[in-house]
Amino acid sequence: MFIGHFAVGFAAKRFAPRASLGLLIAAPLFLDMLWPIFLLLGWEHARIAPGDTRYTPFDLYDYPWSHSLLMAAVWATAFALIYFGGARYKAGAVAIWIGVVSHWVLDWIAHRPDMPWYPGGSARVGLGLWNSIAGTMVVETVMLAVGVGLYVSATRAGDWIGRYAFAAYVVLLLGLYVSDRFSPPPDSMNEVAWVGAAAMVVMLPWAWWFDRHRDLRANVAAAARG
Ligand SMILES: [Zn+2]
């Protein structure tokens, strides 16, 4: 699952409008932010295996610290508490908690049975949407459309950055999604980890940036009423 996670972050803005989109997207991506780090540290393992599912060329055989349900709940709670400690915004904390856990649920839908319940457990679950290329792309594209639609229903551009940096972001996401699908498998998991980490470093501040240049529609309406 790729753009489906971004969709959750966009949608969350509707329910926690005062939280930055950068954080609301960081939450559903959080397990995939940890994963490259844990791969590079050698704490988790995966290998290139074209055909593992029809959609993805990775055999994700060992990632209990980033991708078990128990750890997802632990990371969610830690992220939400730290956020609440700083921001004191309950809706934002709830959106972040749900966002982090949603990653596990969406990966569970997409992955073949490779998702652990908890570190050390031997059971693996996954519904295997990735066995269908068309099914995966339809589900994720529809999710992104709904998520972006909810975001637009909650905010509107305050200036050109709020309009065009936002539009470029969505276009880039779709472009990355399609090119990822049609590019050959990478050479090594290290390459995957570095590219994944680099993508986070760009995509999260970018979301924070254009979100600051968009006004909450609720505020605009209140101002108009005077
Ligand atoms: Zn994941």
Side-chain angles (χ1 to χ4, degrees), residues 76-194:
T77 305
F79 194 161
L81 283 177
I82 290 168
Y83 173 81
F84 189 75
R88 299 273 147 197
Y89 179 36
K90 202 183 282 178
V94 169
I96 283 171
W97 194 91
I98 293 172
V100 176
V101 172
S102 81
H103 185 105
W104 191 91
V105 176
L106 292 176
D107 276 7
W108 168 70
I109 291 168
H111 294 201
R112 69 168 172 78
D114 61 26
M115 306 274 300
W117 294 112
Y118 53 89
S122 57
R124 297 285 184 276
V125 292
L127 297 183
L129 176 62
W130 272 350
N131 287 312
S132 165
I133 293 169
T136 301
M137 298 196 82
V138 167
V139 167
E140 288 203 80
T141 307
V142 168
M143 283 183 70
L144 187 68
V146 171
V148 168
L150 286 168
Y151 178 71
V152 169
S153 77
T155 65
R156 68 168 211 196
D159 58 20
W160 67 271
I161 295 171
R163 178 169 297 119
Y164 296 110
F166 162 56
Y169 191 88
V170 176
V171 169
L172 179 78
L173 267 184
L174 288 167
L176 286 174
Y177 188 53
V178 172
S179 74
D180 174 64
R181 174 69 203 95
F182 294 104
S183 49
D187 295 325
S188 72
M189 285 315 296
N190 268 8
E191 182 187 321
V192 176
W194 281 112

Side-chain angles (χ1 to χ4, degrees), residues 199-222:
M200 300 297 173
V201 170
V202 175
M203 297 308 277
L204 297 178
W206 186 347
W208 168 83
W209 177 56
F210 71 69
D211 187 57
R212 288 181 65 229
H213 293 265
R214 295 181 62 86
D215 304 319
L216 296 181
R217 286 188 191 270
N219 290 352
V220 175

Side-chain angles (χ1 to χ4, degrees), residues 1 5 31-32 35 63 67 103 107 111 115:
M1 188 69 57
H5 297 308
L31 305 187
D32 278 358
W35 182 60
Y63 56 169
H67 275 73
H103 185 105
D107 276 7
H111 294 201
M115 306 274 300

